[in-house]
Amino acid sequence: MTRSIVFFDIDGTLLNEKKQINPSTKQAIAQLQQSGVYTAIATGRCPASFQWVCEELNIRSFVSMNGQYAVFEGKVVHDNPLPAAEVERLTDMATKRNHPLVYLQADAMQSSMGQDSISDALKQFQIGRLPLRQASDQDKSVYQILLFCNEQEGKEYAVHFPDYQQHRWHPNAVDFLHGNISKAVGLQKMLEYGGFSREQCCAFGDGTNDIEMLQFAGIGVAMGNASPDVKSYANVVTTSHNEDGIRNGLQAIGLL
C-alpha cells in the first residue's frame, strides 16, 4: 500500500492570525506522523524563515519559495534559482523606481535598501532586520524575490517581465518568480524522489499561490479563510486557520 503524504502551507494555514501554531494543529500532525502518514511543508517562504515551524512540528521535508527549492529529509531534491541576469535586471528597474526588493536564498534573506521601507509588510512574518545585499553577493543563488510596490506599479513590471508571475500578499508587496514554477512543481519533485503517488498526496492551503498545488494533489483542502476563488479549486473546504482548520480538514478527508 502506498504511503500517504500531506503538504501544509504555512501562513494562513499552519499558522493562525497571531502567527502561532494552534494546539489542535500540533496534536493532529503528531497523530498523522504516528499513524505513518508523511508530513511536509509547501510555502512561499525561504527556509531560513520557517525552521522553527519544522522544529515544532517535527517536519523534515519541505517545498519552499513557491516550488523553487525542495528538501527531502535534509537532501536537496529540487534546485531552480532565478537567472542571475534577470535578478540584476529587476534590481536595476526597482532601484530606479525606489521600490525595495528582498532576495530569498536557500539559507538567508537580504534586502536592496533600508528596512524601514518594508517593515510594515514583513512584520506579519515576524522577520527581523535584514542585511543589505552587497555587490559581492551577486554570485549567490536567488530563488524568489519580494517586490515592494502597489498593484498599479506591479503592472509595469509585468510588462517588462512577461515570463514572470506575481502573487500579491500585501497591498504593497508581491512574490516575484518564474511564470512556469509553482508549488505543484516542487510537490511533483518531492513525490518522485520519495516514491509517493499523486493519488495519495493531500495539500492544505489558503492563498493564490496554493491554487496549482490544490489542483495537483489527489485531495486539495482549502482553509476557511481562503478566498472564494481559491476555495473553488479545492476538493474540500475546512474551517479557518483560527478555528482548528487543520484538524477538521484532516478528519473530513479521513486521515484522522
Side-chain angles (χ1 to χ4, degrees), residues 77-192:
V77 297
H78 177 56
D79 182 285
N80 186 46
L82 299 173
E86 293 292 84
V87 171
E88 299 315 316
R89 187 162 74 92
L90 177 63
T91 298
D92 183 61
M93 181 174 174
T95 300
K96 289 177 179 177
R97 289 158 178 76
N98 200 35
H99 292 155
L101 301 175
V102 170
Y103 307 87
L104 274 61
Q105 302 162 359
D107 58 358
M109 300 172 66
Q110 297 177 320
S111 62
S112 64
M113 56 182 68
Q115 191 84 1
D116 291 343
S117 56
I118 59 177
S119 59
D120 178 64
L122 289 183
K123 67 181 180 182
Q124 64 178 292
F125 303 117
Q126 300 176 327
I127 294 174
R129 182 165 291 275
L130 299 175
L132 289 174
R133 185 174 185 252
Q134 307 296 328
S136 58
D137 296 318
Q138 292 183 10
D139 61 343
K140 296 180 179 179
S141 293
V142 174
Y143 295 85
Q144 181 176 288
I145 294 175
L146 309 184
L147 167 62
F148 293 81
C149 65
N150 62 39
E151 187 171 359
Q152 185 59 41
E153 292 165 337
K155 293 178 181 178
E156 183 180 2
Y157 287 91
V159 171
H160 288 270
F161 292 86
D163 296 330
Y164 287 74
Q165 58 182 309
Q166 300 177 31
H167 289 292
R168 186 161 295 277
W169 48 269
H170 184 275
N172 291 311
V174 297
D175 290 341
F176 188 92
L177 66 154
H178 279 304
N180 61 349
I181 288 294
S182 71
K183 290 184 182 182
V185 173
L187 261 64
Q188 184 172 15
K189 298 293 185 180
M190 186 84 78
L191 298 185
E192 291 172 355

Side-chain angles (χ1 to χ4, degrees), residues 8-9 13-15 22 24-26 28-29 32 204-205 221 223 238-241 243-252 256:
F8 299 97
D9 172 50
T13 303
L14 285 177
L15 303 186
N22 293 331
S24 66
T25 296
K26 293 182 182 180
I29 290 179
L32 279 186
F204 283 67
V221 182
M223 304 299 290
T238 184
T239 51
S240 80
H241 60 327
E243 301 170 313
D244 304 319
I246 296 295
R247 182 193 65 194
N248 293 338
L250 290 169
Q251 289 177 339
L256 286 184

